[in-house]
Amino acid sequence: MRRLISFFILFVLLAGCGQKSLPDSVQYLTPLPKQVVQVDDVQLAYRIFGEGPPLLMIMGYGGTMDLWDAAMIRELSREHTVIIFDNRGMGGSGKGTEEISIKRMAADSAGLLRVLGYEQADVFGWSMGGLIAQEMTLNYPDKVIKLVLLGTSCAAQPVEEVTHRLLKMDIQELLSHFFPKGWVEKNPDALAKLPRQAGPADPAVIRAQADAMIEWEGCCSRLSYLEKPTLIISGLEDDILPEQLSVQISEQVGGSWLVRYKNATHWLMYQDPEGLGSTVNNFLKVKQNLFVH
């Protein structure tokens, strides 16, 4: 249990590492007000930023919406109505009555758009959020305009393997995977700038999310039917879900864009948040009729 808890308190511990040099709280999403709506069996907490076409952001394993990089959200919200939310059982969202699974969280994501009155949206999924985003796009295609996948996989086995690895890691081992070797030395304020989660998560929910990833059947064989403009992004130094898995997705999705960042890991969002936001904005601007389906 200690190893399991260590994963979701990592951001809290890292924030404390540079407490005296933390930027002003306006650079974080945590203090900003959130709203709650009923979606099927669960209450989901969310925040909305900016104006323009809607963009739904789906968070990864063990994280809440507080952990999106505020600089990236600010960049995205220059051109979009950005919707961030907590997956069921996390942060301000309730647990609901249904079992946590990747497909259930995909239904939650589509349901949130429905309840908020959005017929369609572009969808951005990171890590486990990328699994959810793929299932959402495949199962609720009318709700998705374009798809953005950051550091994820369509294959079940790598997801199962890395989940078992994460459950066994302690804080020091997790830290060794966070940024590329030598990057923190060149960017000494990196740890202090990491976003802060408002509070600790329920260990039972973290375990349920892990089980959901372990039990996920994958979707590679179905991606050839995914007729959506898709941007796939990965860091070349990602040793959580390696960039070869992003290449695999791109080979299955006709007309997809593949962007690979040098000297970047699974957490590249915290290395270049504005650049990542700009890359996504540029992709979302391209007319759909230019994509091959």
Side-chain angles (χ1 to χ4, degrees):
M1 182 60 70
R2 180 176 297 176
R3 292 181 185 276
L4 180 61
I5 293 174
S6 71
F7 183 78
F8 66 77
I9 65 172
L10 177 61
F11 282 94
V12 177
L13 293 179
L14 290 176
C17 291
Q19 194 68 35
K20 292 183 179 179
S21 60
L22 282 173
D24 187 88
S25 63
V26 296
Q27 297 193 34
Y28 295 89
L29 303 176
T30 306
L32 301 177
K34 64 182 72 172
Q35 297 175 280
V36 178
V37 293
Q38 187 73 33
V39 177
D40 299 329
D41 67 306
V42 69
Q43 288 192 324
L44 297 180
Y46 69 96
R47 296 186 179 107
I48 295 180
F49 307 89
E51 296 181 355
L55 172 62
L56 181 70
M57 312 285 290
I58 307 179
M59 176 49 66
Y61 172 52
T64 69
M65 59 179 159
D66 299 330
L67 297 186
W68 289 114
D69 188 281
M72 184 185 74
I73 295 296
R74 186 163 51 247
E75 182 67 26
L76 293 171
S77 65
R78 295 182 195 278
E79 301 184 26
H80 302 90
T81 298
V82 179
I83 307 157
I84 63 175
F85 71 103
D86 290 330
N87 287 312
R88 61 171 56 216
M90 297 297 298
S93 291
K95 296 180 182 179
T97 59
E98 296 193 22
E99 183 178 354
I100 290 176
S101 68
I102 299 300
K103 289 186 177 180
R104 178 62 256 178
M105 289 187 284
D108 292 343
S109 303
L112 178 61
L113 289 180
R114 181 187 71 247
V115 171
L116 294 180
Y118 296 104
E119 292 186 5
Q120 290 183 306
D122 297 315
V123 175
F124 182 132
W126 174 35
S127 195
M128 182 189 78
L131 314 184
I132 298 168
Q134 289 174 87
E135 289 290 348
M136 177 183 173
T137 307
L138 289 165
N139 298 331
Y140 307 92
D142 292 342
K143 301 300 292 184
V144 180
I145 304 171
K146 293 184 180 181
L147 179 62
V148 179
L149 301 172
L150 171 61
T152 195
S153 172
C154 66
Q157 184 175 355
V159 173
E160 179 180 357
E161 290 175 353
V162 76
T163 303
H164 285 301
R165 282 173 52 208
L166 288 171
L167 291 174
K168 295 177 181 178
M169 289 184 189
D170 59 20
I171 291 294
Q172 290 305 314
E173 188 173 0
L174 280 167
L175 279 171
S176 71
H177 293 274
F178 215 80
F179 292 120
K181 187 176 181 180
W183 194 85
V184 173
E185 287 76 9
K186 296 178 181 178
N187 299 271
D189 60 346
L191 297 181
K193 286 184 175 180
L194 286 172
R196 293 170 289 181
Q197 198 152 289
D202 182 344
V205 175
I206 299 298
R207 179 71 232 194
Q209 284 193 348
D211 290 341
M213 290 191 291
I214 291 168
E215 294 167 5
W216 183 58
E217 297 178 351
C219 64
C220 294
S221 63
R222 292 181 283 150
L223 287 184
S224 60
Y225 302 102
L226 195 158
E227 297 185 348
K228 300 291 180 182
T230 302
L231 169 64
I232 304 136
I233 307 170
S234 183
L236 288 176
E237 305 301 320
D238 190 338
D239 56 2
I240 298 298
L241 290 172
E243 59 93 19
Q244 294 92 333
L245 299 174
S246 292
V247 174
Q248 182 180 20
I249 296 173
S250 71
E251 291 172 345
Q252 298 296 321
V253 182
S256 59
W257 291 19
L258 176 64
V259 176
R260 291 177 284 183
Y261 280 70
K262 292 182 179 179
N263 198 33
T265 66
H266 195 65
W267 287 270
L268 71 89
M269 170 172 59
Y270 305 120
Q271 295 181 252
D272 184 19
E274 292 93 346
L276 182 58
S278 179
T279 296
V280 174
N281 279 340
N282 288 335
F283 166 76
L284 296 178
K285 288 178 186 176
V286 177
K287 293 182 180 180
Q288 289 194 63
N289 58 14
L290 294 180
F291 290 86
V292 176
H293 294 303

